Amino acid sequence: MRPPKGRTWAPKGRTPVLQVSCRGHGRVSIAALICAKPGMRTRLIYRTRTYHHRRHEPKGFTVADFQALLQAAHTQLGGPISLVWDSLPEHVSAQMRAWIAARQDWLLVYRFPAYAPELNPAEGVWSNLRTKLFNFTVHGIDELAGLIKSRLKSLQYQPDLLNGFISETGLIVIPEPA
């Protein structure tokens, strides 16, 4: 995850030079859920996975990782989940569909259209995260993963910002009937 160019606090007319010793190997993958429940604060539940280019190491999230994330969200939220999901191959795989079907009592899944990032509130999280990573240099993939986790942790305590990500998409949270 390489952030785009950003502004610096260098003196006017002097181009800042930042030494980076990392060769750029590795990848940090992030999966996140923005959870809204009427009458409760909006939550961000996330998981990260760091890929170091090691043998037999998964490059990204697997179906089992997404299942564990959803199970953890169900446990943490303590109630049924209506999930609005994109069409990532792991989300629509036969294994995931069977897992979802076995949990119909607490998991209801709605799918986004084929390509609709403007409807995905998590895109606001990614955009916000990129702007918070502009002026940092890291010396390894593990340091980048730690920086990402600390920025996501701070987002967890900003429910108004998370609500803004939801409202930006035009999605509406409707209270459940009593």
Side-chain angles (χ1 to χ4, degrees):
M1 183 171 162
R2 292 186 178 155
K5 293 181 182 178
R7 297 178 188 261
T8 66
W9 292 100
K12 190 171 184 177
R14 299 182 77 196
T15 304
V17 177
L18 303 173
Q19 298 295 326
V20 179
S21 62
C22 179
R23 293 186 347 194
H25 281 52
R27 174 191 313 185
V28 179
S29 299
I30 311 165
L33 301 171
I34 297 179
C35 307
K37 187 175 183 179
M40 302 289 287
R41 73 175 177 88
T42 304
R43 294 182 180 191
L44 176 68
I45 300 173
Y46 68 90
R47 299 289 184 271
T48 62
R49 163 146 306 181
T50 305
Y51 174 62
H52 298 91
H53 284 278
R54 294 181 184 144
R55 195 174 175 142
H56 305 297
E57 181 182 33
K59 289 183 180 177
F61 284 92
T62 63
V63 171
D65 295 326
F66 287 116
Q67 291 169 353
L69 175 62
L70 289 172
Q71 190 65 51
H74 174 61
T75 303
Q76 185 175 347
L77 298 172
I81 296 176
S82 295
L83 180 66
V84 183
W85 235 0
D86 58 10
S87 296
L88 187 71
E90 288 81 7
H91 296 173
V92 296
S93 70
Q95 183 183 1
M96 183 58 88
R97 284 194 314 267
W99 187 85
I100 291 169
R103 283 144 186 89
Q104 286 182 346
D105 55 328
W106 62 267
L107 184 60
L108 178 62
V109 177
Y110 299 97
R111 300 242 180 252
F112 285 130
Y115 181 74
E118 68 279 358
L119 295 177
N120 190 350
E123 293 295 332
V125 173
W126 311 144
S127 176
N128 186 281
L129 183 62
R130 282 186 204 104
T131 61
K132 291 183 179 199
L133 297 176
F134 269 146
N135 290 323
F136 290 96
T137 59
V138 294
H139 300 288
I141 196 69
D142 292 321
E143 189 177 344
L144 176 63
L147 183 62
I148 289 170
K149 285 180 184 181
S150 72
R151 297 306 184 256
L152 286 171
K153 183 75 171 173
S154 70
L155 275 178
Q156 286 182 314
Y157 295 102
Q158 299 177 17
D160 292 335
L161 184 59
L162 297 174
N163 287 333
F165 297 151
I166 294 171
S167 65
E168 188 177 286
T169 65
L171 297 173
I172 300 170
V173 178
I174 299 173
E176 294 178 4

